[in-house]
Amino acid sequence: MAAKFLGEPSKVITGSHDRTLKIWDLRSRMCTETKFAGSSCNDLVTSDGAGSTIISGHFDKRIRFWDIRTEMSANHIMLQGKVTSLDLSRDSNYLLACVRDDTIQLIDLRMNTIVRSFSHDSFKVGCDWSRAAFGPGGRLLAVGAADGAAYVWNTCTGKLEAVLKDHS
C-alpha cells in the first residue's frame, strides 16, 4: 500500500495489507528486515533525513512510530477511525492524518499530541485510500472527499478556505 525511501537511494520501506513493514535493499533487491505491525498499513512517512524514524498509519486506528534500529513500535497514537493517509510537514514538526471518521488530524510530533482537527458537515472521507497533503508552505492542507470535491483548510486557523468541485 505504501513505499518511501529511507534517507538514502538504496533503501526503501514498504507497508502492506499483510500487517508488516519491510525494509528493502535496492542493490541486492532483497528484504533486509520485516517489522510486524499487527494491522494493515495504509501509508507511511519517514520523519528524519537519515530515515531512522518511520511513522505508519493503520486500519486499526493507530499511528505507529518506529525506530528502524529496534524491532517493535516505540509509541503510538490512537485515533477514532482507520488512518487512510499521512503527510509530514517540511520541517518534520507536524503530521497530517486523514481518518475514516471524516476528519483530518494535525499532530505536533514534538509533543505527540493532536493540536487541531479539521472537519465540515459536507466533508466525508470516501475510501480507505483518501489522501491529505500539506501545501508547500504548510499553511494549507488539501484533501479529496467522497463527494468528488477537494477541501482546502488553513492549518493555522482551522478555517475551511475552499471547496473545489468539478469531479464527479
Side-chain angles (χ1 to χ4, degrees), residues 1-6 10-26 29-46 51 54-56 58 66-68 70-71:
M1 293 297 297
K4 296 286 190 291
F5 283 94
L6 270 179
S10 64
K11 286 190 178 180
V12 171
I13 183 154
T14 58
S16 175
H17 274 300
D18 70 2
R19 302 184 313 252
T20 65
L21 304 180
K22 292 185 180 279
I23 298 174
W24 300 86
D25 182 328
L26 295 181
R29 297 184 180 171
M30 302 288 291
C31 174
T32 59
E33 187 177 347
T34 300
K35 296 184 179 296
F36 295 95
S39 176
S40 296
C41 176
N42 219 9
D43 203 5
L44 49 85
V45 295
T46 57
I54 301 157
I55 304 170
S56 55
H58 297 268
W66 306 83
D67 181 332
I68 64 166
T70 63
E71 191 170 314

Side-chain angles (χ1 to χ4, degrees), residues 137-157:
R139 188 181 66 77
L140 298 175
L141 74 88
V143 60
D147 63 1
Y151 287 71
V152 179
W153 275 278
N154 184 307
T155 58
C156 300
T157 66

